[in-house]
Amino acid sequence: MAEAQTTRELTKERHRRALIEATADAIAEHGLAAVSISRILEKAGLSRGMVNLHFSSKTNLLLAVAQQFSEDYTHHWSAAMDGAGERPEAKLRAIIDADFDPVVLNRRTMAVWFAFRGEAHSSPEYMPFIDSRDARMQQTITSICRELRDAGGDTGTDPQIAALSIIALLEGLWTDYYLHPDRFDRDTARAVVLHTARAFFPGSFNA
Amino acid sequence: MAEAQTTRELTKERHRRALIEATADAIAEHGLAAVSISRILEKAGLSRGMVNLHFSSKTNLLLAVAQQFSEDYTHHWSAAMDGAGERPEAKLRAIIDADFDPVVLNRRTMAVWFAFRGEAHSSPEYMPFIDSRDARMQQTITSICRELRDAGGDTGTDPQIAALSIIALLEGLWTDYYLHPDRFDRDTARAVVLHTARAFFPGSFNA
Amino acid sequence: MAEAQTTRELTKERHRRALIEATADAIAEHGLAAVSISRILEKAGLSRGMVNLHFSSKTNLLLAVAQQFSEDYTHHWSAAMDGAGERPEAKLRAIIDADFDPVVLNRRTMAVWFAFRGEAHSSPEYMPFIDSRDARMQQTITSICRELRDAGGDTGTDPQIAALSIIALLEGLWTDYYLHPDRFDRDTARAVVLHTARAFFPGSFNA
Amino acid sequence: MAEAQTTRELTKERHRRALIEATADAIAEHGLAAVSISRILEKAGLSRGMVNLHFSSKTNLLLAVAQQFSEDYTHHWSAAMDGAGERPEAKLRAIIDADFDPVVLNRRTMAVWFAFRGEAHSSPEYMPFIDSRDARMQQTITSICRELRDAGGDTGTDPQIAALSIIALLEGLWTDYYLHPDRFDRDTARAVVLHTARAFFPGSFNA
DNA sequence: AATGAATGAGCTTTCATTCAT
DNA sequence: GATGAATGAAAGCTCATTCAT
């Protein structure tokens, strides 16, 4: 009996996930303006009533997609940093590497990410999910910069300014990838960020 | 008779412009996904057939808006640079200042800009108009960086890397403004870019 | 120019009326619960967008139908009474005759009337239109009854009670027609109401 | 084992009744046009498949509700009359009193009653259940009227006409209550019917 | 050139019913 | 007997576009 229930619940959960993935595919292909339930279900291979059954409305489904992408991104850089040990330089390198990892920086993910961003101004409910480099990430990087400054004995660098620069650079390079994925070079991107980091903390980040 | 014709043509041009402005307003308010001809005409105060009369389709009107914004942006930084004289440092400062000028960096313009960007992946016809910092700007900034390197006698700096960094920083700071217009500080933004410029060209950009 | 405009406006008004008539037909045939825009347009022979173009919503169209029927009914008994002269007995006879006139008491009209009544409890916006024998009619009949009492010298009859009785009788006989149109006899119905009137005002309403 | 079966059957019957009551509530609240299985089950607190399990279709459930209300009404006036003894005047008084008893004449019951009536023209299967004052009631009242006439020695009164008048009056007063429950006065209603009865049978129904 | 009534495709959502569990 | 996930038809409405005026 418990097993039977589990089978049903598993199927339900599988359908939920399939809808989220199909929606992301549909956004990547057609754009947020042209995503329709028909197009989503075409990709998911499920029946017409499915979206409203699982998410009550198309709006809720789109929010679920945004949330999913946001959580995936946050989890990715957090995990990368946690695996990098205690040294601030290693932690920052890990975050930078994570940001250019094809797992997050790829055409589909960027298409979805920028699509939600484009609508965030008129649909503010997306906001919490598309501010990728949010308060938590800023605090984390600012802390790392403070550690780097204290370790290097350099008193001239403002950790907040350094963090703002690094984060803006990451943002700008994502935009560069989104607009020109063909000419984008991940190694150059990493090098650019490390170069800026080195400019702020001269003793660290030597090649 | 010729005068009557001129009046007609002026009216036509006025209607064309009114539609573009109303469309930009509608995008800023409702988002690209929810812009309809009805909402545009509500803002423009014109009659229903106007869009198809002047632009033959809604798609064309949207493209005209994108083009308008793109041309305005390009003209703005070009003019600023042209007015800065011949010194490379002054030219780069002018470009940076232009990028944070409220004339281009304001809520409405960013809302429209990011809205088109969000759809650019699925509607590639927008691409030529939303790659703000396009090939021409990159070449311009790269040239300036080369001049700065040569003038400073520094041979270690790659002008392309420097230009990429500066442009990515400008992009990233626009994103920061788009996501958090309330907490954004234009002076800090300019300082951050100048700080990076100084890191690449130690002799220049002293406060 | 004025003529051309008039042609368009006349067509528009003709479509509006056609939709109202088609809706009444659809209610009579399918019931209020099963009236759909498709069924209405099938009867009207017009295109799908027509209802929302002329009435914004199906709800508004239904309200327009209710209003139309209400106005028709009121106009009918008012006109009948106005044409009956000054004598109270003649006026009341005219009202009674009007109530059983096939122009108002027929299958289609009753089907529509009772359909709206059935929904009036859950959709109170119908209320003003389905209280056929409303305050104005009650006051009118009460006034007539007062005249009749005063004329007859009978002081025992309460004009309000008499009016309430007559109106309730009219209502009840409409219901009888609605439920059993085949066995309903208009002459008997009139006779029943006149019999009651005679009971209240013994000197009047002799056959 | 037999006991278990009985429990099952009791549960089944309880569910059946719960569905009928919940449906009546839903009709009273939303109207027949807007009653959905979802809304019924929301009120009943039962699971989605229940309606089709017990009644095989929504249509059947609605018919069961109509039938229930019809049987309740008939049983109510029959029982009242049976308890009134043999005198015709007492019997008619009992029927009249029963008709204005809050047990039958209340908002919920009237909402359901008039809702079914409104659809009866387009869904004739409701007809047998919404002709409250049906053939049996008419025969009963006609018989009483005949007894009253014979007892009074009055030969001028047609018992059928008298019965028709009384029944139409009862109908009309129900309609009055349905349309204006707040201003309706049960005592006045009873007085109006008794007044008419007295007009037909002068010797009887003295206050 | 300008208007706005008309069209019908396509949208999201609700619905009654089915059926594996 | 009871459950609720699944289905797909049909609902009301919005839309871009057409075209007679």
Side-chain angles (χ1 to χ4, degrees), chain C:
Chain C
M1 209 56 178
E3 231 172 52
Q5 274 222 346
T6 302
T7 304
R8 280 245 260 182
E9 278 170 11
L10 282 177
T11 305
K12 195 179 174 185
E13 182 57 22
R14 214 184 59 234
H15 285 158
R16 225 191 95 95
R17 291 194 169 275
L19 284 171
I20 289 178
E21 291 306 314
T23 304
D25 289 343
I27 293 171
E29 183 175 336
H30 303 291
L32 250 185
V35 186
S36 68
I37 287 187
S38 298
R39 287 204 237 253
I40 291 168
L41 291 169
E42 194 179 300
K43 288 194 181 294
L46 298 173
S47 65
R48 295 199 56 64
M50 218 66 162
V51 167
N52 289 282
L53 178 67
H54 284 280
F55 295 92
S56 327
S57 71
K58 182 190 161 189
T59 299
N60 278 348
L61 170 54
L62 292 176
L63 278 172
V65 174
Q67 184 171 16
Q68 180 77 64
F69 273 68
S70 173
E71 285 173 3
D72 287 353
Y73 174 75
T74 301
H75 178 264
H76 186 252
W77 72 258
S78 296
M81 188 185 72
D82 290 348
E86 286 302 308
R87 291 181 45 240
E89 188 184 326
K91 285 196 284 190
L92 190 54
R93 272 184 192 269
I95 290 173
I96 293 164
D97 284 354
D99 238 45
F100 298 117
D101 186 330
V103 170
V104 295
L105 187 66
N106 56 67
R107 288 179 196 232
R108 178 175 177 269
T109 304
M110 289 303 107
V112 173
W113 205 264
F114 279 85
F116 279 118
R117 277 213 179 148
E119 291 294 297
H121 198 260
S122 45
S123 300
E125 62 272 25
Y126 293 143
M127 270 291 176
F129 305 125
I130 51 91
D131 186 8
S132 42
R133 296 168 185 86
D134 59 0
R136 228 194 94 226
M137 196 194 209
Q138 283 169 49
Q139 283 159 18
T140 304
I141 295 187
T142 304
S143 290
I144 293 173
C145 287
R146 195 173 297 113
E147 291 183 60
L148 286 167
R149 181 200 57 184
D150 296 347
D154 173 4
T155 53
T157 297
D158 179 341
Q160 274 196 301
I161 295 286
L164 174 59
S165 297
I166 289 166
I167 286 174
L169 212 39
L170 293 173
E171 282 289 1
L173 287 163
W174 266 27
T175 303
D176 196 30
Y177 174 85
Y178 174 72
L179 295 176
H180 312 288
D182 290 326
R183 75 166 196 218
F184 188 86
D185 182 70
R186 292 171 201 273
D187 293 332
T188 305
R190 271 185 291 262
V192 160
V193 185
L194 288 176
H195 186 278
T196 289
R198 202 179 307 125
F200 281 110
F201 309 105
S204 311
F205 301 102
N206 295 314

